[in-house]
Amino acid sequence: THTHTHRALSFVLSFVIRMDFSSASESEQREQMALVMKGMADVFHRMSLSCFDKCVTKYLDSSLGAGEAECADRCARKYMDAQMLISKKLVEAQQPQ
């Protein structure tokens, strides 16, 4: 899971690094980066809610059971894979033909 998470974060960071802020003022650059960070937080929030609803069945236990943990891991991996695919397609669509 850590390798997958690292790969997903690396992709997101490489996307942010490739963004062209050269024509933006410093203030606009900060605003654009804030929007990127807000978007990343929103994706993480939606993933957390979705995977929790799907995987957590016992609310009285203080920790996840083995099945719940496996489900949450698979769910998060699939969610991030989908987000990475969507992001790649968006980047490709923005590239000059």
Side-chain angles (χ1 to χ4, degrees):
T1 303
H2 293 297
T3 300
H4 181 77
T5 303
H6 183 263
R7 187 177 56 169
L9 288 174
S10 293
F11 174 77
V12 169
L13 288 175
S14 69
F15 173 74
V16 170
I17 290 168
R18 286 190 308 243
M19 292 176 75
D20 184 13
F21 295 124
S22 60
S23 63
S25 70
E26 188 175 327
S27 173
E28 291 170 329
Q29 289 177 10
R30 280 195 301 271
E31 288 177 22
Q32 289 173 346
M33 286 303 296
L35 286 174
V36 168
M37 296 302 291
K38 185 176 188 249
M40 290 170 50
D42 182 56
V43 166
F44 182 78
H45 178 71
R46 285 184 284 126
M47 178 189 69
S48 298
L49 290 176
S50 176
C51 293
F52 181 87
D53 289 344
K54 179 180 179 181
C55 299
V56 177
T57 58
K58 298 175 187 171
Y59 298 102
L60 300 177
D61 293 343
S62 62
S63 60
L64 294 177
E68 291 173 324
E70 288 176 25
C71 177
D73 185 47
R74 279 192 311 274
C75 181
R77 187 176 321 118
K78 286 180 181 181
Y79 201 96
M80 289 307 297
D81 284 345
Q83 289 300 315
M84 287 173 48
L85 180 62
I86 291 166
S87 296
K88 284 180 183 179
K89 294 295 182 183
L90 287 172
V91 169
E92 290 170 4
Q94 292 175 356
Q95 298 296 322
Q97 298 292 328

